[in-house]
Amino acid sequence: MPTPKVLLTRRWPSEVEHYLSQRYDVTINEHDTPPDAAALKVALASYDAVCPTVTDKLNADVLAAGGGRVKILGNYGVGVSHIDLPTCKRLGIVVTNTPDVLTDATAEIAVTLMLMAARRAGEGERQVRDHKWGGWAPTRMIGTDVTGKTLGLVGFGRIGQATAQKAHHGFGMPVLYYSRKRATPEVEARTGGQHCASLDELLERADFVSLHCPGGAETRHLLNAARLDRMKRSAFLINTARGEVVDEAALADALRNRVIAGAGLDVYEHEPRVPEAFLGLENVVLLPHLGSATLETRVAMGMRVADNLERFFAGLEPGDRVA
Ligand code: DGY
């Protein structure tokens, strides 16, 4: 078999690019700008493996252009809501992702957002940089304790569990979770997680609601105006999952009208666009999709893709197959 042709749609950490280039006929998108639909169509018709990421929208129309050439999409990232998996299955395109290796990094960002939102860290930093800090005072910049508060997790997969563990053991937080499947007693014991029978119950009881469910059509705008209204007025919403899980217009209204106390967001529905409505609000912390952004994690993600390609081209089942 000729050396497989592999496309990386973005730049990856150099050691992973080097590793892959030694094994395959690799093309790298040196410009590092997300390819548009037309470029993705050409790629799918030209390479045996295309390695996309969250910035590449692989819908049914784009996927059909592969015409049988592309055999595997080795996604760089765990979330795959940007790929139409049923169409991939129908067209016989294998899809893999990169679970496990980004779990702790993403959980760290969820905890970062909880702390930043509750302790007004972004707002405080802006004051200092803008020369607006008037000095220590007993009543200024008063935030909210995190320690001992109740954390409610929507979705309880790997990242949700890791967030629970850090919050429970690090900050003594009681943990509630809502997910389709109840976790095993061992997982509940390790994370301190208590299962909630309904999302509404979790929203009503939690001081911090952190989203850890997959994105996509099924969870689009799960957190809408009615659900935000169920939350405590003192509560914070944290999103490190996918932007589309939150109705951003409803969240901006809820923050402006103090329906909830604050929010911490790492993801947005139409990245890299961040709704203008958030930019003027002090009670929302806005990060630029940093969940997996550590060097160790980004290298490990690339090596996970490499393992999946290696198994696939050796005729074996890739470890992280999702379609
Ligand atoms: C992930 O792995 O899903 C990150 O959000 C980057 O795509």
Side-chain angles (χ1 to χ4, degrees):
M1 179 188 175
T3 308
K5 285 187 72 179
V6 174
L7 173 72
L8 311 188
T9 66
R10 304 297 299 270
R11 295 303 308 260
W12 289 11
S14 53
E15 66 183 273
V16 190
E17 289 182 353
H18 179 73
Y19 181 91
L20 288 170
S21 300
Q22 304 244 297
R23 284 157 181 80
Y24 304 104
D25 177 359
V26 172
T27 302
I28 297 167
N29 172 7
E30 303 283 347
H31 302 294
D32 201 25
T33 48
D36 62 13
L40 286 170
K41 286 180 180 181
V42 172
L44 295 172
S46 315
Y47 292 89
D48 302 299
V50 171
C51 300
T53 191
V54 63
T55 51
D56 304 315
K57 307 281 171 256
L58 292 153
N59 57 28
D61 173 54
V62 170
L63 288 164
R69 174 70 203 263
V70 72
K71 305 288 183 303
I72 178 168
L73 301 178
N75 186 60
Y76 185 86
V78 68
V80 286
S81 59
H82 54 289
I83 305 176
D84 181 339
L85 297 182
T87 298
C88 288
K89 277 188 196 150
R90 188 168 52 75
L91 297 175
I93 303 171
V94 169
V95 183
T96 59
N97 69 345
T98 61
D100 303 322
V101 291
L102 45 66
T103 299
D104 280 315
T106 309
E108 283 177 7
I109 289 293
V111 174
T112 301
L113 285 171
M114 275 196 264
L115 291 167
M116 286 185 74
R119 302 304 304 274
R120 302 173 65 177
E123 192 182 344
E125 225 240 356
R126 280 189 291 282
Q127 279 191 9
V128 174
R129 286 181 187 274
D130 295 345
H131 306 284
K132 287 187 179 150
W133 181 42
W136 192 92
T139 56
R140 280 191 207 142
M141 288 299 292
I142 303 303
T144 305
D145 280 342
V146 172
T147 299
K149 295 287 173 60
T150 298
L151 172 62
L153 300 158
V154 179
F156 203 51
R158 300 174 190 83
I159 299 170
Q161 290 174 23
T163 304
Q165 212 164 338
K166 293 180 200 312
H168 185 64
H169 297 290
F171 296 99
M173 298 177 84
V175 175
L176 307 172
Y177 72 92
Y178 172 74
S179 72
R180 270 178 301 192
K181 216 173 105 201
R182 185 164 182 167
T184 61
E186 292 73 32
V187 169
E188 291 189 348
R190 176 164 51 78
T191 58
Q194 299 164 45
H195 184 251
C196 258
S198 74
L199 178 55
D200 283 349
E201 181 194 336
L202 179 138
L203 296 173
E204 284 162 14
R205 289 175 59 193
D207 299 303
F208 293 84
V209 172
S210 189
L211 305 178
H212 298 281
C213 52
E218 262 185 56
T219 54
R220 184 163 184 274
H221 293 189
L222 182 70
L223 266 284
N224 56 18
R227 293 215 168 91
L228 289 165
D229 211 31
R230 292 248 172 206
M231 289 173 62
K232 296 182 186 179
R233 290 185 88 82
S234 56
F236 294 84
L237 177 70
I238 306 299
N239 191 6
T240 54
R242 281 292 180 261
E244 67 261 23
V245 181
V246 176
D247 177 342
E248 291 175 334
L251 176 60
D253 282 346
L255 291 167
R256 200 179 301 107
N257 300 323
R258 299 277 167 177
V259 172
I260 63 171
L265 308 176
D266 189 42
V267 287
Y268 308 89
E269 185 161 13
H270 303 289
E271 295 180 10
R273 193 171 65 72
V274 175
E276 220 28 64
F278 290 149
L279 300 178
L281 294 172
E282 289 289 12
N283 58 345
V284 58
V285 176
L286 304 169
L287 296 183
H289 203 146
L290 294 181
S292 63
T294 70
L295 182 59
E296 299 91 326
T297 297
R298 289 284 165 87
V299 169
M301 288 163 68
M303 294 311 291
R304 195 86 178 206
V305 177
D307 286 348
N308 285 320
L309 294 185
E310 202 163 308
R311 288 185 64 83
F312 177 79
F313 287 118
L316 302 168
E317 180 72 3
D320 304 313
R321 186 168 178 170
V322 291

